[in-house]
Amino acid sequence: MGRLQPPRDPVTLRFDGEEIVAERGEPVAVALVAAGHLSLARSPKFHRPRGPACQRAACDGCLARVDDVPNVMTCRVPAADGMRIDTQNVVGSRDHDLLGMADWFFAEGMNHHELFAGVPGVQLVMQAFARRVAGLGKLPKEARPPREAMRREADVLVVGSGPSGMATAVRLSERGRKVEVVDDDLAWGGSIRALVGADAAAWQPLVQAFGSALVGGRVSVRLGTTAAGVFGGDVLVAGEAGVEVVAPRTLVLAPGAHDGVLAFDGNDHPSVMSARAAGRLLGYGVLPGERIVVVVADRGGPFGEAFVRAHPAATLVRGVPVSAKGGGRVREWTVATPAGEQRLKADVLVVDAPRAPAYELCAQAGAALVHEDRGFVVHALGGRIRDGVYAVGEVAGTPLDPTAVANEADAVAESA
Ligand code: FES
């Protein structure tokens, strides 16, 4: 576990007082994993330990207080010298949270709305206790000053800088359109950044074309910037630089897909992460564990296999996890495979399951949704949701394949 190479531009962070050396600009959650920390947060109600399972702002397992700001997704914060990261929502310490007793007391679940309801006196005590146990973090000492939201028009707005967003941006820019791309990540590339070595090579022409479009000024990209909602023809865009309502002539939604989550005993353990998250860590030169088992479920891929190709010491198994055995750091996993149940020793379990399209913005834009086993898929013929609004990439069921992505971008550029 840890870094494959020492940081080239090291900075020092403090995590609950412990000094941690990080690469400047890498996500803080990556630096914490590199330093051996997988248990970063606690669930709000039962205080079960949580870990950075997605590395893409979608699981909340990396929430912490950063420089006195609560509930920060540390997978979306660049490491900087002197940064202070504190575990929140615990009584005791991150590893020994007294409030974790709630999980032990109420092993079958707990509805705090009904707990001792109607019992004079006890009800008030229980309500106070429930408020103390639940919730996330404490407010900062000072409120941030309010910021003005601007409204402006744009030619093309692309939401998401993954492969489909990149390809469509390039194609539209080649037709003389002025393209702006927003992404809440710290770097562009989306899922491509979870592929390393030979698996990343197939995407190099697209990476180069997008890079050239940026350098040539035909496309601009704003990172750390979230498209928070679509309201008619307007998109609410928020980032450190400010908040705006953008009204684009053409809106391209490329939000990708959420990691697939399988139901098994122990699936919320900090030692469990998605194959895409493990690939991202490897892209930063970080291994999440010493013994890693990668489970590829039916219709999962391509990140699990790609991870094992880049890190052959990991064990690849096809099947579904059944249970975990061990303490704070799980040691043994039971996996159901076509050949029967296997027990595998590992300190990290990487799961590659079918991803669920991140359909939310598309639904707000009026897209029709089709339900499949993996979740809701946007139904957009030729990528078109309605006049001037398009959905591309995994959200619309397009495979993560360079040719499919290029063809889709051509069709959207032609139509738009
Ligand atoms: S939200 Fe940060 S790792 Fe999942």
Side-chain angles (χ1 to χ4, degrees), residues 238-287:
E240 275 305 314
V243 181
E244 7 171 70
V245 175
V246 181
R249 269 179 64 211
T250 301
L251 172 62
V252 179
L253 297 169
H258 302 299
D259 290 320
V261 178
L262 299 177
F264 64 93
D265 182 13
N267 72 347
D268 64 342
H269 196 278
S271 308
V272 179
M273 65 180 60
S274 77
R276 184 164 52 180
R280 279 182 162 240
L281 286 168
L282 200 53
Y284 283 105
V286 169
L287 282 174

Side-chain angles (χ1 to χ4, degrees), residues 52-62 73 75:
C54 72
Q55 297 289 347
R56 65 182 293 277
C59 75
D60 82 7
C62 67
M73 283 184 174
C75 63

Side-chain angles (χ1 to χ4, degrees), residues 88-104:
Q88 56 183 22
N89 217 32
V90 296
V91 172
S93 69
R94 185 176 65 248
D95 292 326
H96 303 287
D97 175 20
L98 285 179
L99 295 175
M101 286 203 301
D103 189 29
W104 184 77

Side-chain angles (χ1 to χ4, degrees), residues 163-164 167 202-203 206 302 355 394 398-408:
S164 292
W203 295 98
L206 174 59
R355 290 178 295 285
E394 283 198 278
T398 306
L400 196 55
D401 165 79
T403 306
V405 165
N407 290 342
E408 177 187 57

Side-chain angles (χ1 to χ4, degrees), residues 12-373:
T12 303
L13 321 177
R14 282 199 169 270
F15 182 41
D16 290 340
E18 174 191 340
E19 272 195 7
I20 284 178
V21 178
E23 185 81 67
R24 186 187 304 280
E26 73 181 355
V28 166
V30 170
L32 298 180
V33 173
H37 298 291
L38 282 178
S39 180
L40 304 183
R42 290 270 165 174
S43 68
K45 189 166 168 180
F46 290 104
H47 285 251
R48 294 173 67 95
R50 288 283 180 263
C54 72
Q55 297 289 347
R56 65 182 293 277
C59 75
D60 82 7
C62 67
L63 282 184
R65 191 175 185 90
V66 176
D67 288 340
D68 212 29
V69 178
N71 298 324
V72 175
M73 283 184 174
T74 54
C75 63
R76 286 294 189 256
V77 179
D81 207 28
M83 191 173 255
R84 215 185 77 211
I85 301 107
D86 295 304
T87 304
Q88 56 183 22
N89 217 32
V90 296
V91 172
S93 69
R94 185 176 65 248
D95 292 326
H96 303 287
D97 175 20
L98 285 179
L99 295 175
M101 286 203 301
D103 189 29
W104 184 77
F105 262 122
F106 302 101
E108 299 299 318
M110 172 242 288
N111 182 350
H112 61 266
H113 297 292
E114 291 176 358
L115 205 61
F116 293 102
V119 181
V122 180
Q123 177 182 345
L124 291 177
V125 173
M126 286 312 297
Q127 277 178 357
F129 175 71
R131 284 198 190 102
R132 180 72 186 86
V133 171
L136 281 169
K138 291 187 185 132
L139 291 172
K141 291 191 187 94
E142 287 174 20
R144 281 187 179 185
R147 290 184 292 178
E148 290 283 313
M150 304 256 301
R151 187 174 190 285
R152 68 176 175 85
E153 297 185 341
D155 186 10
V156 180
L157 179 68
V158 177
V159 177
S161 70
S164 292
M166 293 159 66
T168 312
V170 169
R171 288 290 184 277
L172 285 166
S173 73
E174 287 167 352
R175 289 168 180 256
R177 306 290 301 269
K178 187 166 168 39
V179 184
E180 303 174 31
V181 182
V182 292
D183 198 308
D184 63 357
D185 206 341
L186 300 182
W188 52 266
S191 288
I192 296 176
R193 295 178 51 244
L195 299 170
V196 281
D199 286 277
W203 295 98
Q204 273 315 299
L206 174 59
V207 169
Q208 278 168 6
F210 189 74
S212 301
L214 289 181
V215 171
R218 293 179 284 126
V219 175
S220 62
V221 64
R222 271 188 297 160
L223 299 166
T225 303
T226 303
V230 179
F231 307 90
D234 293 344
V235 186
L236 176 63
V237 174
E240 275 305 314
V243 181
E244 7 171 70
V245 175
V246 181
R249 269 179 64 211
T250 301
L251 172 62
V252 179
L253 297 169
H258 302 299
D259 290 320
V261 178
L262 299 177
F264 64 93
D265 182 13
N267 72 347
D268 64 342
H269 196 278
S271 308
V272 179
M273 65 180 60
S274 77
R276 184 164 52 180
R280 279 182 162 240
L281 286 168
L282 200 53
Y284 283 105
V286 169
L287 282 174
E290 280 162 17
R291 294 181 74 172
I292 301 172
V293 165
V294 179
V295 179
V296 178
D298 191 24
R299 289 174 292 121
F303 302 106
E305 290 182 2
F307 181 86
V308 177
R309 276 192 285 274
H311 179 57
T315 304
L316 178 78
V317 193
R318 293 184 197 285
V320 287
V322 176
S323 61
K325 193 170 151 195
R329 192 108 187 202
V330 177
R331 297 287 166 212
E332 187 178 285
W333 307 86
T334 304
V335 180
T337 72
E341 284 199 352
Q342 279 189 36
R343 291 195 175 161
L344 298 152
K345 300 232 179 287
D347 55 357
V348 167
L349 185 78
V350 168
V351 179
D352 192 346
R355 290 178 295 285
Y359 66 87
E360 298 84 355
L361 290 176
C362 301
Q364 291 168 21
L369 304 175
V370 179
H371 190 255
E372 298 180 2
D373 285 353

Side-chain angles (χ1 to χ4, degrees), residues 359-394:
Y359 66 87
E360 298 84 355
L361 290 176
C362 301
Q364 291 168 21
L369 304 175
V370 179
H371 190 255
E372 298 180 2
D373 285 353
R374 61 195 165 128
F376 288 100
V377 183
V378 171
H379 189 64
L381 211 56
R384 182 180 169 281
I385 294 178
R386 57 182 162 84
D387 276 353
V389 182
Y390 297 84
V392 294
E394 283 198 278

